[in-house]
Amino acid sequence: MDKKVTVVGAGNVGASVAQRVAEKELADVVLIDIVEGLPQGKALDLQEAAPVEKHDARLVGTNTYEASEGSDIVIVTAGIPRKPGMSRADLLTTNAEIMKGIIEQVAPLSPDAILIIVTNPVDAMCHVAFETSKFPKNRVVGMSGVLDAARFRAFVAMELNVSVESTHAFVLGGHGRTMVPLPRYSTVAGIPITELLPQDRVDALVERTRYGGAEIVDLLKTGSAYYAPAAAAVEMADSILKDRKKILPCAAYLQGEYGIHDLFIGVPVTLGRDGVEQIIEVTLTEEERAALNKSADAVRSLVESLEKMGL
Ligand code: APR
C-alpha cells in the first residue's frame, strides 16, 4: 500500500481498527503495544487472514516506534477501558500519562501525520495529544461523534424498521453523559425524526444514545465497546486518506466556533487530506446551546484538572 497507518494499542479497539484498515486496503498497518508479543501476534494473525480476505495490506506488530516512521495517520487507542460503574472521566489521569508518553515517541517520527485519538476521555485526551505533539490544530482530531451518531442511527433504524443507510444523526458536545444528540437534525430519508416518532420515543432514543457506551460496558463487564468504536475511527481515517471530505461529528479544537474557545469538543467537521479542514457551524436553539455549553464545561473541568497535574 502507498499509505501507512500506525495503530497504538493492540487491545480490543486497536486490533479491530487494524483489521478494518487492512481489509479495506486503506493502508499498511503498524500495530504497537507495550505488552510483548501481543501486537506481533495479532498483526501476524491478521496477515495470515489476508489470503482469505483477499487484501494486500502489510501488517507489522512491534513494541517500539521505529516502524511507525512516516505514518500518514496515527490512531491512538492505548489506555485502560471502563469497567461497570466507571465513567469515561474516571480514566483521566492514567490515560493522560499513557497518551503523553505515546505522543512523545510517535510525533517526532511522523511529523506530518494526522492524529486520530480514540482513548477516553477522548476530548481531554485530544488536549494532551495537541499539547504534546505541538501539531497544528487541524491534525489532531478525536473519535467521538461518529460513534455516538452511529449508535443513534442504529437505534432509529431499529425503532422504525428501516435501513440504517436511510438514517442520518447529528450529535454535538463532549463524548460522555453530557453529549448533545440533536433530534431535529437527525433524519430518515431527509425527514427529521421528530416528524416520524412521538416525543417520548425520541427522548428515549436520545437517552439510550447518551448511555450507549455504558450499556455495552454493563453487558461486557470486563471492558468497553470496540466493534463500533473501531468502525467509527476507520471511517474517519478513510475520509482523510482518500480526501473524501466527509462531514462527520468529531472532537475538534474550537477557537470561537459555537462561542467556545480553546477546547476540543464534538462538532461537525469536514475531514480530508489536511485533517480537520473545516468546522461546520449550525444555528442552535437556546436549549441546545445551553446543553452544548454544559457539555463544554464538563470537558473544560477535565482539562483543567490535567493542567493542575502538569499533564
Ligand atoms: N503504549 C502502548 N500500548 C499501551 C500503553 C502504552 N503506554 N498502555 C497501555 N497500552 C495498551 C494495553 O497493553 C492494551 O493492549 O492499550 C491496550 C488497550 O486495550 P484494551 O485494554 O483492550 O482496551 P480497549 O477496549 O481497546 O480500549 C482502549 O479506547 O475506546 C477507548 O475507552 C477506551 O480508553 C479506552 C481505549
Side-chain angles (χ1 to χ4, degrees), residues 22-23 25 43-59:
E23 289 180 359
E25 290 195 317
L44 182 59
D45 196 5
L46 287 167
Q47 191 70 79
E48 289 167 358
V52 183
E53 285 299 325
K54 303 180 181 62
H55 69 75
D56 283 306
R58 292 295 159 97
L59 296 112

Side-chain angles (χ1 to χ4, degrees), residues 9 11-13 33-35 38 77-81 95 98 102 118-120:
N12 284 332
V13 179
D33 202 284
I34 37 163
V35 178
L38 182 76
T77 74
I80 52 163
N95 284 353
I98 291 173
I102 288 167
V118 179
T119 305
N120 277 311

Side-chain angles (χ1 to χ4, degrees), residues 53-290:
E53 285 299 325
K54 303 180 181 62
H55 69 75
D56 283 306
R58 292 295 159 97
L59 296 112
V60 174
T62 166
N63 303 115
T64 56
Y65 281 81
E66 299 87 65
S68 72
E69 188 171 6
S71 293
D72 297 281
I73 294 184
V74 176
I75 304 179
V76 187
T77 74
I80 52 163
R82 284 194 281 171
K83 300 240 162 55
M86 287 173 94
S87 76
R88 292 183 179 91
D90 293 333
L91 311 173
L92 185 69
T93 323
T94 310
N95 284 353
E97 279 165 1
I98 291 173
M99 181 64 62
K100 190 163 186 273
I102 288 167
I103 301 296
E104 278 168 356
Q105 297 184 80
V106 89
L109 289 168
S110 299
D112 300 321
I114 289 161
L115 306 177
I116 299 179
I117 307 302
V118 179
T119 305
N120 277 311
V122 69
D123 308 276
M125 291 306 109
C126 287
H127 275 268
V128 177
F130 180 54
E131 295 291 331
T132 310
S133 66
K134 309 264 184 292
F135 281 7
K137 63 177 182 175
N138 58 301
R139 290 202 280 116
V140 180
V141 60
M143 190 291 292
S144 53
V146 178
L147 171 60
D148 300 327
R151 286 181 172 145
F152 198 4
R153 291 175 62 191
F155 301 148
V156 167
M158 288 191 277
E159 180 83 11
L160 290 169
N161 195 24
V162 296
S163 165
V164 287
E165 277 188 54
S166 301
T167 64
H168 275 279
F170 197 107
V171 180
L172 283 174
H175 186 49
R177 288 169 193 167
T178 59
M179 78 176 71
V180 190
L182 293 189
R184 69 192 180 92
Y185 284 128
S186 300
T187 60
V188 176
I191 308 160
I193 59 165
T194 44
E195 290 186 25
L196 298 170
L197 288 166
Q199 189 61 44
D200 63 325
R201 289 312 302 155
V202 171
D203 292 345
L205 300 186
V206 163
E207 202 56 9
R208 190 169 180 197
T209 301
R210 241 183 225 131
Y211 289 91
E215 186 177 358
I216 306 273
V217 171
D218 288 343
L219 289 166
L220 294 180
K221 296 186 182 69
T222 53
S224 51
Y226 50 101
Y227 293 121
V234 174
E235 182 176 29
M236 292 166 65
D238 171 75
S239 190
I240 293 167
L241 291 167
K242 294 185 181 158
D243 194 26
R244 295 176 70 156
K245 304 195 193 299
K246 280 192 180 182
I247 296 174
L248 298 170
C250 301
Y253 194 64
L254 301 191
Q255 289 184 302
E257 297 89 350
Y258 289 94
I260 295 170
H261 293 268
D262 308 328
L263 198 72
F264 277 89
I265 197 155
V267 289
V269 305
T270 312
L271 276 190
R273 174 188 300 130
D274 295 325
V276 176
E277 295 184 350
Q278 204 188 346
I279 292 172
I280 315 279
E281 276 192 87
V282 296
T283 318
L284 300 179
T285 65
E286 230 166 82
E287 201 184 329
E288 290 162 351
R289 185 166 291 281

